Amino acid sequence: DGRISFAEFKDFLENGLNEYETQVDNNIIVQAFRNLKRIIEQKWCSMRDAFLALDSNRSGFVSRDEFTELLKQFGLNLSPAQMKVLVAQFDVNKDGKVSHQEFMTVMAKH
């Protein structure tokens, strides 16, 4: 009949919009990875040194919130949604933190 239910509308807002944002942000995210890599290469001798600097308490992990704040400090001018997508790329196993291995793997791909 051309109408959508409340549940369908809610699903679109929660899922469909996120998929759209990810598609729209893809070029921005790719550029952000390039900028991040350039900043890291200028500031530190290696990706390992960069991660150790980010992991100030030497836990082997950086929380998603900490990682987001660090990316902002690097001057990556991204919207909150874009930042969330970028950080999610690093949190490969979706445990809420970025491990040294995740960081190295993602940076090697870009």
Side-chain angles (χ1 to χ4, degrees):
D1 65 0
R3 297 186 295 182
I4 62 171
S5 69
F6 177 75
E8 290 170 324
F9 181 66
K10 182 180 176 198
D11 181 60
F12 168 74
L13 290 178
E14 291 174 351
N15 300 310
L17 193 56
N18 290 337
E19 290 173 20
Y20 174 76
E21 282 180 351
T22 301
Q23 291 170 2
V24 170
D25 291 340
N26 191 43
N27 289 333
I28 294 170
I29 299 304
V30 169
Q31 186 61 43
F33 270 114
R34 288 182 186 141
N35 290 341
L36 177 59
K37 194 167 190 172
R38 181 182 46 76
I39 291 166
I40 287 172
E41 288 170 348
Q42 290 172 350
K43 192 168 176 124
W44 292 283
C45 294
S46 69
M47 291 295 162
R48 182 180 183 282
D49 290 342
F51 186 83
L52 290 174
L54 301 176
D55 182 20
S56 59
N57 67 355
R58 300 295 186 256
S59 66
F61 300 95
V62 178
S63 76
R64 291 179 92 175
D65 290 339
E66 289 174 311
F67 198 66
T68 298
E69 286 305 311
L70 291 166
L71 293 174
K72 287 178 185 176
Q73 289 176 16
F74 288 157
L76 296 179
N77 297 320
L78 301 172
S79 72
Q82 293 164 341
M83 189 66 76
K84 186 175 180 178
V85 170
L86 179 63
V87 173
Q89 297 291 314
F90 282 93
D91 185 13
V92 177
N93 65 4
K94 309 297 181 221
D95 64 353
K97 52 193 174 185
V98 178
S99 71
H100 177 255
Q101 184 62 43
E102 288 171 319
F103 180 80
M104 297 300 288
T105 300
V106 172
M107 290 307 293
K109 290 180 183 179
H110 296 277

Short mmCIF file of all heavy atoms in Angstrom, two decimals, residues 33 51 60-62 64 67 87-109:
data_model
loop_
_atom_site.label_atom_id
_atom_site.label_comp_id
_atom_site.label_asym_id
_atom_site.label_seq_id
_atom_site.Cartn_x
_atom_site.Cartn_y
_atom_site.Cartn_z
N PHE A 33 42.99 8.40 6.57
CA PHE A 33 44.05 7.40 6.77
C PHE A 33 45.37 7.92 6.20
O PHE A 33 46.42 7.81 6.83
CB PHE A 33 43.71 6.08 6.08
CG PHE A 33 42.94 5.13 6.94
CD1 PHE A 33 41.64 4.78 6.62
CD2 PHE A 33 43.52 4.55 8.06
CE1 PHE A 33 40.93 3.89 7.40
CE2 PHE A 33 42.82 3.66 8.85
CZ PHE A 33 41.52 3.33 8.52
N PHE A 51 52.50 3.86 18.13
CA PHE A 51 51.54 3.19 19.00
C PHE A 51 51.98 3.27 20.45
O PHE A 51 51.16 3.52 21.34
CB PHE A 51 51.31 1.73 18.60
CG PHE A 51 50.21 1.10 19.42
CD1 PHE A 51 48.88 1.29 19.08
CD2 PHE A 51 50.50 0.38 20.57
CE1 PHE A 51 47.86 0.76 19.86
CE2 PHE A 51 49.49 -0.15 21.36
CZ PHE A 51 48.17 0.03 20.98
N GLY A 60 48.96 -2.04 26.15
CA GLY A 60 48.88 -2.79 24.89
C GLY A 60 47.63 -2.44 24.11
O GLY A 60 47.41 -2.95 23.02
N PHE A 61 46.82 -1.54 24.67
CA PHE A 61 45.57 -1.12 24.05
C PHE A 61 45.39 0.38 24.20
O PHE A 61 45.89 0.98 25.14
CB PHE A 61 44.37 -1.80 24.71
CG PHE A 61 44.40 -3.30 24.64
CD1 PHE A 61 44.92 -4.05 25.68
CD2 PHE A 61 43.91 -3.95 23.51
CE1 PHE A 61 44.95 -5.43 25.61
CE2 PHE A 61 43.94 -5.33 23.44
CZ PHE A 61 44.45 -6.08 24.48
N VAL A 62 44.61 0.94 23.29
CA VAL A 62 44.15 2.32 23.40
C VAL A 62 42.63 2.25 23.26
O VAL A 62 42.12 1.64 22.31
CB VAL A 62 44.75 3.21 22.30
CG1 VAL A 62 44.23 4.63 22.39
CG2 VAL A 62 46.28 3.21 22.37
N ARG A 64 38.75 3.24 22.46
CA ARG A 64 38.20 3.96 21.31
C ARG A 64 38.08 5.45 21.60
O ARG A 64 38.36 6.28 20.75
CB ARG A 64 36.84 3.37 20.91
CG ARG A 64 36.96 1.98 20.31
CD ARG A 64 35.64 1.41 19.96
NE ARG A 64 35.39 1.76 18.56
CZ ARG A 64 34.35 1.33 17.86
NH1 ARG A 64 33.44 0.58 18.43
NH2 ARG A 64 34.20 1.67 16.61
N PHE A 67 41.56 6.95 21.53
CA PHE A 67 42.00 6.99 20.14
C PHE A 67 41.32 8.14 19.39
O PHE A 67 41.96 8.87 18.63
CB PHE A 67 41.72 5.64 19.47
CG PHE A 67 42.50 5.41 18.21
CD1 PHE A 67 43.88 5.28 18.25
CD2 PHE A 67 41.87 5.32 16.99
CE1 PHE A 67 44.61 5.07 17.09
CE2 PHE A 67 42.59 5.11 15.83
CZ PHE A 67 43.97 4.98 15.89
N VAL A 87 37.59 5.28 13.53
CA VAL A 87 38.03 4.53 14.70
C VAL A 87 37.56 3.08 14.61
O VAL A 87 38.30 2.16 14.96
CB VAL A 87 37.55 5.20 16.00
CG1 VAL A 87 37.85 4.33 17.22
CG2 VAL A 87 38.20 6.57 16.16
N ALA A 88 36.36 2.87 14.11
CA ALA A 88 35.83 1.50 13.96
C ALA A 88 36.70 0.67 13.02
O ALA A 88 36.81 -0.54 13.18
CB ALA A 88 34.39 1.54 13.46
N GLN A 89 37.33 1.32 12.04
CA GLN A 89 38.24 0.61 11.14
C GLN A 89 39.42 0.01 11.89
O GLN A 89 39.93 -1.04 11.54
CB GLN A 89 38.77 1.56 10.05
CG GLN A 89 37.71 2.12 9.14
CD GLN A 89 37.13 1.07 8.23
OE1 GLN A 89 37.85 0.28 7.64
NE2 GLN A 89 35.82 1.05 8.12
N PHE A 90 39.87 0.69 12.94
CA PHE A 90 41.00 0.21 13.73
C PHE A 90 40.58 -0.85 14.73
O PHE A 90 41.37 -1.73 15.05
CB PHE A 90 41.68 1.38 14.46
CG PHE A 90 42.56 2.21 13.59
CD1 PHE A 90 42.07 3.33 12.96
CD2 PHE A 90 43.89 1.86 13.40
CE1 PHE A 90 42.89 4.11 12.15
CE2 PHE A 90 44.72 2.62 12.60
CZ PHE A 90 44.22 3.74 11.98
N ASP A 91 39.38 -0.75 15.26
CA ASP A 91 38.90 -1.71 16.27
C ASP A 91 38.33 -2.93 15.54
O ASP A 91 37.14 -3.17 15.52
CB ASP A 91 37.85 -1.05 17.16
CG ASP A 91 37.41 -1.95 18.29
OD1 ASP A 91 38.07 -2.98 18.56
OD2 ASP A 91 36.39 -1.62 18.93
N VAL A 92 39.23 -3.72 14.97
CA VAL A 92 38.86 -4.82 14.09
C VAL A 92 37.97 -5.84 14.80
O VAL A 92 36.97 -6.30 14.25
CB VAL A 92 40.12 -5.51 13.51
CG1 VAL A 92 39.76 -6.71 12.67
CG2 VAL A 92 40.95 -4.50 12.72
N ASN A 93 38.30 -6.20 16.04
CA ASN A 93 37.51 -7.23 16.73
C ASN A 93 36.35 -6.65 17.53
O ASN A 93 35.66 -7.36 18.24
CB ASN A 93 38.40 -8.09 17.62
CG ASN A 93 39.03 -7.32 18.76
OD1 ASN A 93 38.76 -6.14 18.97
ND2 ASN A 93 39.88 -8.00 19.52
N LYS A 94 36.14 -5.34 17.43
CA LYS A 94 34.97 -4.66 18.03
C LYS A 94 34.88 -4.84 19.54
O LYS A 94 33.80 -4.96 20.09
CB LYS A 94 33.66 -5.10 17.36
CG LYS A 94 33.67 -5.03 15.86
CD LYS A 94 33.83 -3.63 15.37
CE LYS A 94 33.80 -3.58 13.84
NZ LYS A 94 34.77 -2.70 13.26
N ASP A 95 36.04 -4.81 20.21
CA ASP A 95 36.03 -4.96 21.67
C ASP A 95 36.09 -3.61 22.39
O ASP A 95 36.22 -3.56 23.61
CB ASP A 95 37.16 -5.87 22.14
CG ASP A 95 38.55 -5.29 21.85
OD1 ASP A 95 38.65 -4.25 21.17
OD2 ASP A 95 39.53 -5.90 22.30
N GLY A 96 36.02 -2.52 21.64
CA GLY A 96 36.01 -1.20 22.25
C GLY A 96 37.38 -0.59 22.46
O GLY A 96 37.50 0.47 23.06
N LYS A 97 38.41 -1.27 21.99
CA LYS A 97 39.77 -0.74 22.12
C LYS A 97 40.59 -1.14 20.90
O LYS A 97 40.25 -2.06 20.17
CB LYS A 97 40.42 -1.22 23.41
CG LYS A 97 40.38 -2.71 23.62
CD LYS A 97 40.75 -3.09 25.03
CE LYS A 97 40.56 -4.59 25.23
NZ LYS A 97 40.78 -4.99 26.58
N VAL A 98 41.68 -0.41 20.70
CA VAL A 98 42.56 -0.66 19.57
C VAL A 98 43.85 -1.26 20.12
O VAL A 98 44.55 -0.63 20.92
CB VAL A 98 42.87 0.65 18.80
CG1 VAL A 98 43.83 0.39 17.66
CG2 VAL A 98 41.58 1.29 18.30
N SER A 99 44.14 -2.49 19.71
CA SER A 99 45.37 -3.15 20.16
C SER A 99 46.53 -2.76 19.26
O SER A 99 46.33 -2.22 18.16
CB SER A 99 45.19 -4.67 20.14
OG SER A 99 45.15 -5.12 18.79
N HIS A 100 47.72 -3.05 19.72
CA HIS A 100 48.91 -2.80 18.91
C HIS A 100 48.80 -3.54 17.58
O HIS A 100 49.08 -2.99 16.52
CB HIS A 100 50.17 -3.24 19.68
CG HIS A 100 51.41 -3.08 18.90
ND1 HIS A 100 52.07 -4.13 18.33
CD2 HIS A 100 52.12 -1.96 18.56
CE1 HIS A 100 53.13 -3.69 17.69
NE2 HIS A 100 53.18 -2.38 17.80
N GLN A 101 48.38 -4.80 17.63
CA GLN A 101 48.25 -5.61 16.41
C GLN A 101 47.23 -5.01 15.46
O GLN A 101 47.47 -4.93 14.24
CB GLN A 101 47.89 -7.06 16.75
CG GLN A 101 47.85 -7.97 15.54
CD GLN A 101 49.19 -8.07 14.84
OE1 GLN A 101 50.23 -8.20 15.51
NE2 GLN A 101 49.21 -7.99 13.54
N GLU A 102 46.07 -4.60 15.98
CA GLU A 102 45.05 -3.98 15.13
C GLU A 102 45.59 -2.71 14.47
O GLU A 102 45.40 -2.50 13.27
CB GLU A 102 43.79 -3.65 15.95
CG GLU A 102 42.99 -4.86 16.35
CD GLU A 102 41.89 -4.51 17.34
OE1 GLU A 102 42.11 -3.70 18.26
OE2 GLU A 102 40.78 -5.08 17.19
N PHE A 103 46.25 -1.89 15.26
CA PHE A 103 46.82 -0.64 14.75
C PHE A 103 47.80 -0.93 13.62
O PHE A 103 47.73 -0.32 12.55
CB PHE A 103 47.50 0.10 15.90
CG PHE A 103 48.13 1.41 15.49
CD1 PHE A 103 47.35 2.54 15.33
CD2 PHE A 103 49.49 1.49 15.26
CE1 PHE A 103 47.93 3.76 14.95
CE2 PHE A 103 50.09 2.69 14.89
CZ PHE A 103 49.30 3.82 14.73
N MET A 104 48.72 -1.86 13.86
CA MET A 104 49.73 -2.18 12.85
C MET A 104 49.10 -2.76 11.59
O MET A 104 49.50 -2.40 10.47
CB MET A 104 50.76 -3.15 13.43
CG MET A 104 51.54 -2.59 14.61
SD MET A 104 52.49 -1.10 14.21
CE MET A 104 53.77 -1.81 13.23
N THR A 105 48.15 -3.65 11.75
CA THR A 105 47.50 -4.28 10.59
C THR A 105 46.78 -3.24 9.74
O THR A 105 46.92 -3.23 8.52
CB THR A 105 46.51 -5.37 11.07
OG1 THR A 105 47.24 -6.36 11.81
CG2 THR A 105 45.79 -6.01 9.91
N VAL A 106 46.02 -2.39 10.39
CA VAL A 106 45.25 -1.38 9.64
C VAL A 106 46.19 -0.38 8.97
O VAL A 106 46.00 -0.02 7.80
CB VAL A 106 44.23 -0.67 10.57
CG1 VAL A 106 43.58 0.50 9.88
CG2 VAL A 106 43.18 -1.67 11.03
N MET A 107 47.20 0.07 9.67
CA MET A 107 48.12 1.04 9.08
C MET A 107 48.89 0.43 7.91
O MET A 107 49.19 1.12 6.93
CB MET A 107 49.09 1.58 10.13
CG MET A 107 48.42 2.49 11.16
SD MET A 107 47.46 3.86 10.46
CE MET A 107 48.75 4.87 9.73
N ALA A 108 49.19 -0.85 7.98
CA ALA A 108 49.90 -1.51 6.87
C ALA A 108 49.05 -1.58 5.61
O ALA A 108 49.57 -1.56 4.49
CB ALA A 108 50.33 -2.91 7.29
N LYS A 109 47.73 -1.65 5.79
CA LYS A 109 46.83 -1.71 4.63
C LYS A 109 46.68 -0.38 3.92
O LYS A 109 46.29 -0.33 2.78
CB LYS A 109 45.44 -2.19 5.08
CG LYS A 109 45.38 -3.63 5.48
CD LYS A 109 43.96 -3.99 5.89
CE LYS A 109 43.88 -5.41 6.37
NZ LYS A 109 42.52 -5.75 6.80
#
